[in-house]
Amino acid sequence: MKKITVVIVGMGFGKEFIPIYQKLPNIKAVGICTRNPETLKELKEKFNLDDDLLFTDFNEVIKRDDVDAIHVVTPVPEHAKMTLASLNANKHTACTIPMAMTVADCQAIVEAKKRVNKVYMMMETALYTREFLYGLKLADTGKLGKIQFVRGSHIQDMSMEGWAEYWKGYPPMLNGTHAISPLLRINNTIAESVVCHGSGQLSDDLAKRYNSPFAVETATFKLKDSNVVAEATRSLFDVVRQYRESYDVYGDKMSFEWEQLQDEQHVIFDGGENAVRMEAPDTDDLLIPEIADFTKRERIDDPNHVSFLQGAGHGGSHPHLVQEFVAAIVEGRDSAVDAVLAANYTCAGICAHKSAMKGGIRVEIPSFD
């Protein structure tokens, strides 16, 4: 059995992945990297980590020949730099969303991945929530019938204490993958072009940070080989609403709508005026037994982390992400969210923001194939 040593970089919600990796049969050892020595010491004791795999400097991680894979869970501005460094050091690489902040960096990662022939995976939680996997099964089994329209949203108040300074004024669609990727995946396609409009006005202090004035950005995407239009809306500041990270899908046989309020339950429409509230079932049956229980909310290590105070524990997605990343390495194949696909999902949002800033012109999304 092939055994892998993985190092997780970034111990915000990154620490949630430590026990999941430790349970996988194909994992030889798990290391961590964080700039805070006290956090390093605390997590070493909590998870019984090997002294030789504790790092405070990312540059030391990529030098190690015995490290097979790196999982990046750091602030957004560091994603492209760390991903490229990891790939160029010949490491299998996973990274939380988004892939990068520019089209050029996405292209560079695609090229690096092809050059070194290692696994890359964008760890998009929205594609592995119990709610999305439920809808995807409805689509794949034909229960939805012909999909006619999809809509996604990611509405969040990032003025809440605990978010890093760089988030202040962050343009909504510049990191739009949570709202966009489920819409593309459920149609089994990619985005070709986008028209996006900005709405409202941020406070002057927020607007000047990225020279981006909009409180809300709403985009419509033309999909490849499809007559379906996808609509996505995102806001981060100066909008009052409970956290919502949602998708809706409308078919000619059945439709699914995300709950309006947290814990209110979702809605299935199955004909005429019929509407039934429901909870998406757990997804533990899709996982190997060793990590199946990590879909449960009670397995979140730090429920007070800001990522979980807003976000409902990422919908039980973490073990699915780990299982897919490691399986791709062991089986010698591309991951389910490989570099080419991740670049499209990420650049769909980047190009949407560009469209909004240019008054809603249509912007073509680069091809990375």
Side-chain angles (χ1 to χ4, degrees), residues 65-258:
D65 291 336
D66 58 336
V67 172
D68 304 295
I70 294 174
H71 182 170
V72 177
V73 199
T74 58
V76 170
E78 298 179 21
H79 288 185
K81 177 182 68 176
M82 288 187 166
T83 295
L84 286 168
S86 177
L87 287 171
N88 288 330
N90 218 33
K91 311 297 186 189
H92 300 291
T93 306
C95 184
T96 188
I97 61 100
M99 183 184 216
M101 292 177 66
T102 68
V103 171
D105 279 343
C106 288
Q107 181 67 55
I109 292 169
V110 170
E111 291 172 358
K113 188 271 176 189
K114 288 179 179 177
R115 185 174 62 254
V116 301
N117 195 29
K118 292 292 183 178
V119 172
Y120 168 88
M121 182 171 174
M122 184 171 78
M123 304 296 251
E124 174 52 85
T125 57
L127 295 177
Y128 289 96
T129 65
R130 55 185 66 86
E131 294 84 0
F132 178 71
L133 292 174
Y134 174 78
L136 185 63
K137 186 176 182 180
L138 293 180
D140 288 346
T141 57
K143 290 184 178 179
L144 293 175
K146 183 192 302 178
I147 294 177
Q148 305 284 26
F149 180 64
V150 285
R151 175 191 291 122
S153 73
H154 181 189
I155 300 172
Q156 184 167 0
D157 176 14
M158 298 199 77
S159 64
M160 179 179 178
E161 186 177 347
W163 291 110
E165 184 71 17
Y166 75 86
W167 282 116
K168 291 184 169 60
Y170 201 98
M173 274 294 171
L174 194 58
N175 178 13
T177 66
H178 283 340
I180 297 168
S181 60
L183 314 182
L184 305 184
R185 176 65 186 91
I186 205 165
N187 283 284
N188 197 30
T189 188
I190 59 175
E192 288 189 324
S193 66
V194 59
V195 172
C196 184
H197 295 282
S199 181
Q201 176 72 47
L202 291 177
S203 64
D204 289 344
D205 174 59
L206 293 174
K208 71 183 181 184
R209 292 174 183 242
Y210 288 88
N211 294 316
S212 177
F214 305 120
V216 181
E217 290 177 343
T218 294
T220 52
F221 298 92
K222 180 180 181 298
L223 308 186
K224 183 178 181 180
D225 300 327
S226 175
N227 58 9
V228 175
V229 168
E231 173 197 297
T233 298
R234 196 157 191 264
S235 69
L236 300 174
F237 293 93
D238 292 352
V239 173
V240 176
R241 204 222 183 270
Q242 184 185 59
Y243 182 96
R244 192 171 198 242
E245 185 184 311
S246 71
Y247 79 97
D248 303 325
V249 55
Y250 299 91
D252 64 355
K253 292 182 181 178
M254 182 183 286
S255 298
F256 170 91
E257 281 188 0
W258 196 275

